[in-house]
Amino acid sequence: MKRSMQFFNKPKIIGVSSIAGPKESNGSINEFIETKLNDDMFGEDTFEKAESKMLYTVIDKSIKNANRTEKEIDAIVAGDLLNQIISSTFAARNFSTGYLGIYNACATFSESLILGATLVDGGYMDNVICASSSHFSSAERQYRYPLELGSTRPPQSQWTVTGAGASVISSEGKGPIITGATVGKIVDFGITDANNMGAAMAPAACDTLFTHFKDFNLEANDYDLIITGDLGALGSRIFKDLMWEKGYDVEGQHVDCGELVYNICEQEYQGGSGAGCSALVFNSYLYNRLYNGSYRKILLMATGALLSSVSTQQGDSIPAIAHAVVIEGE
Amino acid sequence: MKRSMQFFNKPKIIGVSSIAGPKESNGSINEFIETKLNDDMFGEDTFEKAESKMLYTVIDKSIKNANRTEKEIDAIVAGDLLNQIISSTFAARNFSTGYLGIYNACATFSESLILGATLVDGGYMDNVICASSSHFSSAERQYRYPLELGSTRPPQSQWTVTGAGASVISSEGKGPIITGATVGKIVDFGITDANNMGAAMAPAACDTLFTHFKDFNLEANDYDLIITGDLGALGSRIFKDLMWEKGYDVEGQHVDCGELVYNICEQEYQGGSGAGCSALVFNSYLYNRLYNGSYRKILLMATGALLSSVSTQQGDSIPAIAHAVVIEGE
């Protein structure tokens, strides 16, 4: 089984763009976010349309930031949390490029980087945009309860990030290089609480990182940063404990995008989540740090809880996945 | 813009599997279907679980039919019509392989072949399973009305295929070869009738085929068969007219999986549809014909209507896409 792959032709991330809602724009990475919204409706009449417009905005701006024109873009590889990934589809509708829709819940952004890097590294395409989004209000009413109900949130819950990010991967140009990846497999530990996704996803993150370390003969010290997508505070503790049991201490390198994205405040409990969480953090703060040389080599490992409201209602547990992408400074 | 790609390392489809519900098992391709169900519940207590079990069955059998073991499979690239592609996720949960979830509605199967061929042709993986499914009853209640309502179907409607198919793409072995592809772009002609998906998808099929012909300097005669996914009878007529306007006569080569899958009977109106439609027809009838040499070179072009019930309710039109895959006999 070959879940890990190496990219030898230096697929580079030559431009990025990020956008965030008001809450995220006031969080700990605020100075790195390109577009900060004062209103999470973004001038639209529904949350879903606002989310799609956010994704459109980062795709559009990432092309400009990469010094490319729309005609030079071969494909958009994107996904999001909404049913039938309509944020991505309706965003991509505005561009005359190829479109490959993907879905691995909150692991979608790292899945898009793996597929984008494969298409560029293999010489099949020259410029591919990888993008993902989420929106608190569209996710909340789709996965949980109508917002108007004012449901109480349990302490193990996370807060879906209102945000989006896009990266342009190219065969030519300047930027951090994607050098390898490990594709996740589905891990299901039988968690049925849709409010406790960190616990559901931690074993998947552990499986992917363990496989990654074994396949490449690496350890935590080989990375400046091992950054998970949205395990949150509780999930991160479980993840580190599971890695410890496997013989790896990742305490010194591990950070979680969900823990990072907000200022610590009671309302979000375990931190951020959503397909936009890792997309936002990567395409703002992390990209900046890689580009300016503060980080030499990081492992971006977004995690996804692959449930739907139907699977939850039918009593099924939450399958989870994590995809890891190695990104190195130029 | 590089929407077309060529595969030079001969990624081969070394084994397939197909499964169909009772209605499809009595259709025109019945003798080629591997597993024929007498009951579309397939021993499960919900339609969604039955669909997922169908997908699990074809993935499992395709591994055996390819003379591979589960350990030799690197990844499953799969998607379906259900929210958060749960049929695929819950099917893939049973395998210890990598998993890449995708979604392009009824174009999902050809999307999976493009990504699977890329992973194998580029040397990133050795054996990848590409799969897709749909189920009349799970799709109907998700996209349209509860079955219990007994809604009347308009004459332009199609019938979602209860079926699934899986292909094992490999770098080694014997079988038809994927030699090229053209990635679809989103085309939206403003159709808002969710019962008239053939009309919504025909312009996307036309755009992809026109791009394919131009990029490879080909014409309809270069193919034994140009087979669309689920345009249905009405959509197929529109598609052929649109191609005619562009200067190409595809009448002699074009067949539609949706037109092919059922015996002509009043109830299905325009024919079959669904992500399982092209997956079922390809992994039974078409594979057989390619394998035994009856077809030398075909273009499989599944088409997808990228709507959701939310986008329809919010008054949006139906974006559509078509991905084309060139498959040649060995």
Side-chain angles (χ1 to χ4, degrees):
Chain A
M1 200 175 300
K2 247 169 118 171
R3 276 171 52 199
S4 292
M5 49 180 92
Q6 285 182 276
F7 303 116
F8 294 110
N9 299 317
K10 301 198 174 180
K12 283 168 275 285
I13 304 174
I14 60 165
V16 298
S17 178
S18 58
I19 191 168
K23 189 182 185 77
E24 293 73 15
S25 295
N26 288 312
S28 58
I29 58 162
N30 64 338
E31 62 183 295
F32 302 97
I33 298 170
E34 186 177 21
T35 308
K36 298 174 201 179
L37 300 178
N38 295 319
D39 174 5
D40 69 355
M41 292 299 287
F42 203 6
E44 296 293 320
D45 56 3
T46 70
F47 300 126
E48 291 75 16
K49 289 181 181 175
E51 181 181 337
S52 189
K53 188 176 174 184
M54 290 171 66
L55 197 48
Y56 165 78
T57 303
V58 290
I59 293 170
D60 188 50
K61 290 194 174 188
S62 72
I63 299 172
K64 292 179 184 72
N65 293 342
N67 280 317
R68 292 284 185 270
T69 61
E70 190 185 321
K71 282 202 166 161
E72 292 174 286
I73 304 299
D74 302 319
I76 295 167
V77 181
D80 58 88
L81 301 181
L82 295 186
N83 297 343
Q84 287 74 52
I85 58 166
I86 49 170
S87 300
S88 302
T89 297
F90 285 86
R93 183 173 64 169
N94 298 294
F95 300 94
S96 293
T97 67
Y99 171 59
L100 295 160
I102 60 167
Y103 178 79
N104 265 174
C106 309
T108 298
F109 185 66
S110 51
E111 182 189 6
S112 76
L113 288 181
I114 293 174
L115 292 171
T118 302
L119 287 163
V120 171
D121 187 70
Y124 304 104
M125 290 185 170
D126 294 327
N127 297 286
V128 175
I129 295 178
C130 304
S132 188
S133 68
S134 55
H135 192 298
F136 173 78
S137 301
S138 64
E140 200 67 14
R141 69 178 180 174
Q142 176 182 281
Y143 281 104
R144 295 182 190 91
Y145 301 102
L147 292 167
E148 294 79 359
L149 208 60
S151 303
T152 309
R153 301 174 71 79
Q156 70 275 30
S157 70
Q158 294 170 247
W159 191 273
T160 305
V161 163
T162 300
S167 299
V168 181
I169 302 184
S170 181
S171 53
E172 303 282 336
K174 190 174 148 52
I177 302 161
I178 301 180
T179 57
T182 298
V183 173
K185 76 164 190 178
I186 296 179
V187 178
D188 190 331
F189 264 39
I191 307 278
T192 53
D193 175 5
N195 276 307
N196 194 2
M197 297 200 293
M201 295 188 291
C206 174
D207 174 82
T208 297
L209 187 57
F210 181 72
T211 303
H212 182 78
F213 281 166
K214 287 285 173 204
D215 285 353
F216 288 106
N217 194 23
L218 295 173
E219 53 183 46
N221 278 330
D222 292 307
Y223 287 99
D224 293 333
L225 196 69
I226 293 168
I227 186 148
T228 47
D230 56 352
L231 293 177
L234 174 61
S236 289
R237 284 210 304 277
I238 298 171
F239 166 65
K240 282 182 276 197
D241 284 353
L242 290 172
M243 285 307 295
W244 178 262
E245 285 174 15
K246 295 241 181 210
Y248 292 96
D249 180 1
V250 300
E251 181 74 40
Q253 286 74 31
H254 176 256
V255 175
D256 183 68
C257 293
E259 280 194 283
L260 189 72
V261 71
Y262 296 116
N263 294 313
I264 302 301
C265 129
E266 203 184 338
Q267 209 181 5
E268 299 100 15
Y269 294 108
Q270 304 296 331
S273 69
C277 184
S278 59
L280 170 63
V281 174
F282 177 78
N283 291 294
S284 57
Y285 171 71
L286 293 173
Y287 186 80
N288 179 281
R289 289 298 166 104
L290 280 161
Y291 201 88
N292 73 16
S294 308
Y295 292 138
R296 188 185 44 84
K297 186 178 183 181
I298 72 168
L299 188 71
L300 176 69
M301 193 165 62
T303 45
L306 302 167
L307 76 170
S308 83
S309 54
V310 168
S311 68
T312 303
Q313 283 158 16
Q314 294 184 1
D316 243 312
S317 54
I318 305 174
I321 200 161
H323 297 297
V325 187
V326 186
I327 307 161
E328 301 187 43
E330 212 176 8
Chain B
M1 197 174 300
K2 246 170 119 171
R3 276 171 51 198
S4 292
M5 51 180 87
Q6 283 181 277
F7 303 116
F8 293 110
N9 299 317
K10 301 196 175 180
K12 282 170 275 288
I13 303 174
I14 60 165
V16 299
S17 178
S18 58
I19 191 168
K23 189 182 184 77
E24 292 74 15
S25 295
N26 288 312
S28 58
I29 59 162
N30 65 337
E31 62 183 295
F32 302 98
I33 298 171
E34 186 177 22
T35 308
K36 298 174 201 179
L37 299 179
N38 295 319
D39 175 5
D40 69 355
M41 292 300 286
F42 203 6
E44 296 293 319
D45 56 2
T46 69
F47 300 126
E48 290 77 15
K49 289 182 182 175
E51 182 180 338
S52 189
K53 187 176 175 184
M54 289 171 67
L55 198 47
Y56 164 78
T57 302
V58 291
I59 292 171
D60 189 49
K61 291 194 173 188
S62 72
I63 299 173
K64 293 179 184 70
N65 293 344
N67 280 317
R68 292 285 185 269
T69 62
E70 190 185 323
K71 283 202 165 158
E72 291 174 286
I73 305 299
D74 303 318
I76 295 166
V77 181
D80 58 88
L81 301 181
L82 294 187
N83 297 343
Q84 287 72 53
I85 57 167
I86 49 170
S87 300
S88 302
T89 296
F90 284 86
R93 182 172 66 168
N94 298 295
F95 300 93
S96 294
T97 67
Y99 171 59
L100 294 160
I102 60 168
Y103 178 79
N104 265 175
C106 310
T108 298
F109 184 67
S110 51
E111 183 189 6
S112 75
L113 289 180
I114 293 174
L115 292 171
T118 302
L119 286 163
V120 171
D121 187 69
Y124 305 104
M125 291 185 170
D126 294 327
N127 297 287
V128 174
I129 296 178
C130 304
S132 186
S133 68
S134 56
H135 191 297
F136 173 78
S137 301
S138 64
E140 201 65 15
R141 68 179 181 176
Q142 175 182 282
Y143 282 103
R144 294 182 190 90
Y145 300 102
L147 293 168
E148 294 79 359
L149 208 59
S151 303
T152 309
R153 304 174 69 78
Q156 70 273 29
S157 70
Q158 294 169 247
W159 190 273
T160 305
V161 164
T162 300
S167 298
V168 181
I169 302 183
S170 181
S171 52
E172 303 281 337
K174 188 173 151 51
I177 302 161
I178 301 179
T179 57
T182 298
V183 173
K185 76 163 190 176
I186 297 179
V187 177
D188 189 331
F189 264 39
I191 307 277
T192 52
D193 175 5
N195 276 305
N196 194 2
M197 298 200 294
M201 296 189 291
C206 173
D207 174 83
T208 297
L209 186 58
F210 181 72
T211 303
H212 181 79
F213 281 166
K214 288 284 173 205
D215 286 353
F216 288 105
N217 195 24
L218 294 174
E219 53 184 46
N221 278 331
D222 292 307
Y223 287 100
D224 293 333
L225 196 69
I226 293 170
I227 186 148
T228 48
D230 55 353
L231 292 177
L234 175 60
S236 290
R237 283 210 304 278
I238 299 171
F239 165 67
K240 281 180 276 197
D241 283 353
L242 290 172
M243 286 306 296
W244 178 263
E245 286 174 14
K246 295 240 181 210
Y248 292 96
D249 180 2
V250 300
E251 181 73 40
Q253 287 75 31
H254 177 256
V255 175
D256 183 67
C257 294
E259 279 193 283
L260 189 72
V261 72
Y262 297 116
N263 294 313
I264 301 303
C265 131
E266 206 185 336
Q267 208 180 5
E268 300 100 14
Y269 293 109
Q270 303 297 331
S273 69
C277 183
S278 59
L280 170 63
V281 174
F282 177 77
N283 290 294
S284 56
Y285 172 71
L286 293 174
Y287 186 80
N288 179 280
R289 289 298 167 105
L290 279 162
Y291 200 89
N292 73 16
S294 309
Y295 292 138
R296 189 185 43 85
K297 185 177 183 181
I298 71 168
L299 188 71
L300 176 69
M301 192 165 64
T303 45
L306 302 167
L307 77 169
S308 83
S309 55
V310 169
S311 68
T312 302
Q313 283 158 16
Q314 295 185 1
D316 244 312
S317 54
I318 305 174
I321 198 160
H323 298 297
V325 187
V326 186
I327 306 161
E328 301 186 42
E330 213 176 9

